[in-house]
Amino acid sequence: MDIEHNLQHIKSQLPEHVTLVAVSKTKPVSAILEAYNSGQRIFGENKIQEMAEKYEQLPKDIEWHMIGHVQRNKVKYMAHFVDLIHGVDNLKLLREINKQAEKHDRVIKCLLQIKIAEEDSKFGMPPEDALKLLQDEAFKELKHIAIVGVMGMATFTNDEAQIKTEFSCLKTTFDKLNAFQPMEIISMGMSGDYPLAIECGSTMVRVGSSIFGERNYL
Ligand SMILES: *Cc1c(COP(=O)(O)O)cnc(C)c1O
């Protein structure tokens, strides 16, 4: 796999307002360094401990994004360095992130993960719950987190029309939240569907295998 070539190819397709998160989960530090040396600075991981180990070993100007499901008891292992947490879908988790961020005198940026897929294996809150959360008095007291956008994953299918409907649902949800409280990020699109996601309004794509090659899960 020629990581530099793959990165250049993908970046050449991205409009200027779309940020690329290079998803490096399961990939070695050497692969991340290769991407780093070709200019990539934002990396996404889906396991907190794996991300923390890589953070220790790699240049400190990397922005680390947690894109996976977050277990509350592990937030403390990333609170000192994580740049953006994509998968936040409940107040209890936000409270824990707030508490850990406060210990480090930081404000941690978060995205609300919205359930847009038809299949129900995916995490995320129903679209109609997101605005309620922002309006919740208990939420307003959390000073060490900032909700800067939304994240979603489409159903794993070849049906483009369905994926488009789901992505559009995330965009609509974003527009409603954004009218209540200005935010910037719509995190949607992976290797298989990022061009479609961009068409539907994505401002941040999370691309792994198209950069680093297929993952081998042991
Ligand atoms: C693994 C993963 C990606 C990247 O998937 P690819 O198909 O390899 O691009 C994006 N988002 C999330 C949440 C992931 O877990």
Side-chain angles (χ1 to χ4, degrees), residues 134 139 146-148 176-183:
L134 295 186
F139 166 77
I147 304 291
V148 296
K176 282 184 192 149
L177 299 182
N178 188 43
F180 177 73
Q181 171 198 308
M183 40 183 81

Side-chain angles (χ1 to χ4, degrees), residues 7-190:
L7 264 174
Q8 296 314 333
H9 176 71
I10 291 165
K11 278 202 256 179
S12 72
Q13 301 176 327
L14 300 183
E16 216 168 300
H17 68 277
V18 176
T19 301
L20 173 64
V21 179
V23 176
S24 49
K25 62 191 187 193
T26 79
K27 298 296 175 182
V29 160
S30 58
I32 299 175
L33 262 183
E34 210 176 318
Y36 180 89
N37 288 331
S38 7
Q40 181 66 24
R41 289 294 179 273
I42 306 177
F43 293 90
E45 292 280 335
N46 71 338
K47 295 214 165 67
I48 294 173
Q49 266 136 336
E50 182 178 340
M51 182 171 77
E53 280 166 26
K54 288 172 173 173
Y55 162 76
E56 288 300 330
Q57 297 173 57
L58 282 155
K60 293 298 173 281
D61 61 340
I62 287 178
E63 276 184 27
W64 291 99
H65 289 199
M66 173 42 56
I67 62 168
H69 177 65
V70 177
Q71 283 172 275
R72 264 201 320 277
N73 60 350
K74 292 189 178 156
V75 171
K76 55 179 176 284
Y77 302 119
M78 63 173 170
H80 55 297
F81 71 92
V82 69
D83 189 73
L84 180 64
I85 303 177
H86 289 232
V88 177
D89 61 4
N90 64 80
L91 185 60
K92 242 175 141 177
L93 176 58
L94 273 172
R95 279 208 179 102
E96 176 63 14
I97 296 169
N98 185 72
K99 180 176 141 192
Q100 298 300 333
E102 186 170 14
K103 286 185 188 166
H104 298 281
D105 201 19
R106 300 186 67 208
V107 173
I108 296 181
K109 292 180 283 179
C110 299
L111 303 180
L112 293 180
Q113 184 171 355
I114 310 295
K115 186 175 149 39
I116 53 171
E118 207 171 78
E119 55 197 25
D120 45 44
S121 60
K122 301 273 161 78
F123 296 100
M125 57 172 66
E128 59 276 14
D129 286 4
L131 187 58
K132 282 187 209 142
L133 178 76
L134 295 186
Q135 294 169 333
D136 193 317
E137 289 306 322
F139 166 77
K140 292 179 192 162
E141 283 167 22
L142 307 178
K143 302 297 180 206
H144 291 267
I145 50 126
I147 304 291
V148 296
V150 295
M151 178 267 209
M153 286 170 86
T155 303
F156 190 71
T157 172
N158 289 324
D159 184 349
E160 277 212 2
Q162 184 180 351
I163 298 175
K164 213 166 171 170
T165 303
E166 295 176 357
F167 281 157
S168 301
C169 169
L170 189 61
K171 168 75 165 97
T172 305
T173 306
F174 172 86
D175 289 341
K176 282 184 192 149
L177 299 182
N178 188 43
F180 177 73
Q181 171 198 308
M183 40 183 81
E184 308 149 41
I185 299 174
I186 305 178
S187 167
M188 64 182 182
M190 322 193 340

